Amino acid sequence: MRAIKNVIVTSAIAILIAALALKARTSTLPAADDATYDIVIANGRVMDPESGLDEIRNVGITAGKIRALSATPLKAKTTLDAKGLVVAPGFIDLHEHGQAPRNYQFQAHDGVTTSLELEVGTDNVDDWYAARENKSLINYGVSVGHIPVRMQVMHDPGNFLPTGDAAHREATPQELTEIKNGMRHGLERGALAVGLGINYTAAATHDEIVELFRIAAAQNAPVHVHVRYAGMQEPSTGLVGIEEVIAAAASTGAPLHIVHITSVGLKNTPQLLAVIKGAQKHGLDVTTECYPYIAASTRLESAIFDPGWQERQGITFKDLQWSATGERLTAETFDKFRKQGGSVVIFSIPAEAARAAVADPMVMIASDGIPGTDPRMHPRGQGTFSRVLGHYVREEKALDLMTALRKMTLMPAQRLQNRAPAFKDKGRVRIGADADITVFDSDRIIDKATFENPLQYSDGIQFVLVNGTPVLANGQLVESVFPGRPARAPLSN
Ligand SMILES: [Zn+2]
């Protein structure tokens, strides 16, 4: 009896193993072995932060989706040779103000397949998406922005950032109603998030901010916020800035994403990271991001440079570089250029703070790229992702490659997927996922854009595919292809 039972058990196990083997085979090769894929990325080291896969695989792509991940060769109309190269999910940039065709070219060279403007955002979601439809190299998306909505309601004369009433005056009850309506409407039209730049709308009351969090919570939209204060001068420190939005998130239930933690925290960045981790540990949905540089950048005429800026940020005139010319400022040129308006690079972030944030597995990578192409602008829009992988992973060994990839692919997708389910198929190399893929040489990848010479393509990225279409092939931009699609939340009105 016992022997018979053993035989039955053994046969059952054998059948189970055979079934599992068959299932494994069919799940890695859903199509027949003789299927011909549109494109195969052959023999690359496929790295997927979600599953942990880190093996040599052939990636079969048809109709813009990943259809096969196979250890054996696949047939294709077009085969891309990835031998010796890493095949990763395309990078998702949560924070890129430059949303023009030229910015997308720089970003494609830096491995970015989805470029999102979630901090400043827009006051007209429909127009913003319509302007990029069928014209974009990479995927694109936007938040509804408190800054532009407040500027529009309060008739602010500023360019991109407020310089008048939207920065410096409390909203009337009527204006506050209009601002809230504008924000709510933007979410109904599929904005990915609510964007706040409280430091730029310095006169917005705490109550106005809480109201915006309530609107975000009602639509399950994350709030991407540049907090009210930066630096170490009490009582307006980066920590106090973070406390305001953590309290707003806790009391409303809105998911919270704090942008560019290093330019908020400066020397105290590690303390701010500890506060965010503490909030996470106690159940709050709060995340953060950084760019891998020792300088910030913004417009000189903005409220950030209202009187007292030296004390607040712990810097002075010579720490500011005028983006148009590269000259360091003096008291005289500061006044002149502030009246004129334009971008400065701000050398305010200690190297240790940048390194601590880049190395932290909890902190996402986002470029905060600047619009335009000033000859001495900040290099971050051009080089952020290659700089993390080349400088911090390979040269500094500050973090491992899979962790770095996770911070620029899976984590940003997860940040947005509750609001916009399309992100469940981004940031992964998985069967059924969108074929947004970046193929690079991990021994060679590096940023070339510097503070002296910022308009340089990154090096070492060989292929970039957006929805299955190569936009970068053999390290060169592909001409006249526009496979970028809108990354947008479902419309609710
Ligand atoms: Zn910002």
Side-chain angles (χ1 to χ4, degrees):
M1 185 61 197
R2 194 188 177 93
I4 291 171
K5 205 168 170 185
N6 277 347
V7 168
I8 292 170
V9 170
T10 312
S11 327
I13 289 170
I15 290 165
L16 190 65
I17 289 169
L20 285 175
L22 188 68
K23 185 160 188 295
R25 190 174 153 75
T26 48
S27 66
T28 49
L29 294 174
D33 283 349
D34 61 353
T36 301
Y37 297 92
D38 290 350
I39 292 184
V40 164
I41 303 172
N43 297 312
R45 175 186 172 192
V46 174
M47 296 185 71
D48 176 49
E50 185 177 52
S51 62
L53 178 69
D54 182 359
E55 299 285 347
I56 305 300
R57 287 284 184 272
N58 298 286
V59 183
I61 295 163
T62 292
K65 296 270 187 185
I66 297 171
R67 303 292 177 186
L69 288 171
S70 166
T72 54
L74 299 172
K75 278 195 287 185
K77 294 175 202 156
T78 303
T79 299
L80 309 178
D81 180 11
K83 193 169 188 327
L85 305 176
V86 172
V87 179
F91 309 151
I92 299 171
D93 190 352
L94 292 174
H95 191 157
E96 165 60 271
H97 301 296
Q99 291 284 331
R102 187 68 184 128
N103 302 106
Y104 294 162
Q105 292 179 340
F106 278 112
Q107 291 228 284
H109 270 282
D110 203 30
V112 175
T113 53
T114 300
S115 181
L116 309 170
E117 155 60 293
L118 302 184
E119 181 205 34
V120 172
T122 182
D123 63 349
N124 191 324
V125 172
D126 284 318
D127 284 0
W128 193 94
Y129 279 106
R132 289 160 182 81
E133 189 92 47
N134 301 320
K135 292 179 199 161
S136 293
L137 192 64
I138 59 180
N139 303 315
Y140 49 90
V142 76
S143 65
V144 57
H146 182 227
I147 289 174
V149 167
R150 202 173 204 269
M151 286 173 74
Q152 190 250 323
V153 169
M154 298 177 77
H155 309 291
D156 192 284
N159 170 10
F160 186 63
L161 295 174
T163 54
D165 280 2
H168 299 117
R169 180 167 68 73
E170 201 173 308
T172 65
Q174 171 62 29
E175 285 168 339
L176 186 54
T177 300
E178 287 177 38
I179 291 168
K180 285 162 58 181
N181 287 344
M183 300 300 289
R184 210 176 281 117
H185 180 68
L187 289 177
E188 287 166 358
R189 299 307 303 161
L192 289 172
V194 161
L196 299 187
I198 314 176
N199 211 342
Y200 296 110
T201 55
T205 62
H206 291 75
D207 184 53
E208 179 171 337
I209 301 306
V210 174
E211 291 282 329
L212 301 172
F213 272 77
R214 272 196 197 107
I215 289 167
Q219 304 226 25
N220 203 21
V223 183
H224 287 240
V225 56
H226 176 152
V227 299
R228 190 180 290 275
Y229 307 119
M232 291 147 302
Q233 192 193 40
E234 294 286 1
S236 57
T237 65
L239 177 56
V240 176
I242 283 178
E243 286 170 346
E244 176 185 13
V245 291
I246 286 181
S251 63
T252 62
L256 168 62
H257 183 78
I258 297 167
V259 303
H260 50 54
I261 193 68
T262 54
S263 66
V264 173
L266 306 180
K267 174 159 79 61
N268 287 349
T269 295
Q271 286 93 314
L272 301 199
L273 293 177
V275 168
I276 293 170
K277 280 177 201 166
Q280 288 175 342
K281 193 173 153 213
H282 293 99
L284 215 61
D285 182 4
V286 52
T287 54
T288 190
E289 62 174 51
C290 72
Y291 46 76
Y293 293 94
I294 57 162
S297 178
T298 194
R299 293 188 72 90
L300 189 59
E301 71 274 24
S302 73
I304 290 203
F305 290 104
D306 283 354
W309 61 272
Q310 295 104 315
E311 294 75 26
R312 288 196 298 273
Q313 298 183 56
I315 52 171
T316 185
F317 299 105
K318 69 169 172 34
D319 298 311
L320 304 180
Q321 171 177 306
W322 185 238
S323 297
T325 61
E327 69 191 276
R328 295 298 181 112
L329 298 192
T330 62
E332 293 71 47
T333 53
F334 177 91
D335 289 341
K336 180 178 119 189
F337 290 141
R338 189 158 148 90
K339 278 192 200 91
Q340 181 184 323
S343 286
V344 280
V345 180
I346 310 161
F347 289 89
S348 60
I349 302 170
E352 311 80 65
R355 192 180 200 276
V358 169
D360 193 317
M362 180 270 288
V363 181
M364 297 177 211
I365 303 300
S367 74
D368 196 7
I370 303 287
T373 49
D374 274 343
R376 299 293 290 276
M377 71 193 294
H378 200 297
R380 63 197 185 192
Q382 294 76 259
T384 281
F385 295 89
S386 299
R387 181 167 176 75
V388 169
L389 297 173
H391 180 63
Y392 286 99
V393 173
R394 185 181 62 242
E395 295 173 357
E396 293 264 303
K397 301 191 170 36
L399 71 170
D400 67 79
L401 183 54
M402 187 68 97
T403 302
L405 291 173
R406 184 181 195 91
K407 285 153 58 81
M408 51 184 75
T409 60
L410 181 65
M411 287 168 67
Q414 289 172 329
R415 172 73 290 181
L416 293 171
Q417 69 190 25
N418 290 339
R419 167 77 184 147
F423 279 91
K424 288 179 183 167
D425 286 333
K426 295 201 177 293
R428 287 102 165 158
V429 179
R430 174 198 10 90
I431 290 173
D434 295 340
D436 294 341
I437 296 176
T438 292
V439 181
F440 63 94
D441 183 343
S442 60
D443 294 330
R444 208 160 65 79
I445 189 168
I446 198 70
D447 58 315
K448 292 290 190 184
T450 62
F451 292 106
E452 294 73 37
N453 198 359
L455 296 172
Q456 302 294 311
Y457 292 140
S458 293
D459 204 8
I461 297 188
Q462 198 69 0
F463 299 103
V464 175
L465 280 72
V466 174
N467 298 303
T469 299
V471 299
L472 201 76
N474 300 309
Q476 304 289 317
L477 283 171
V478 178
E479 298 288 325
S480 306
V481 292
F482 304 102
R485 292 195 197 135
R488 193 167 180 172
L491 308 194
S492 57
N493 186 10

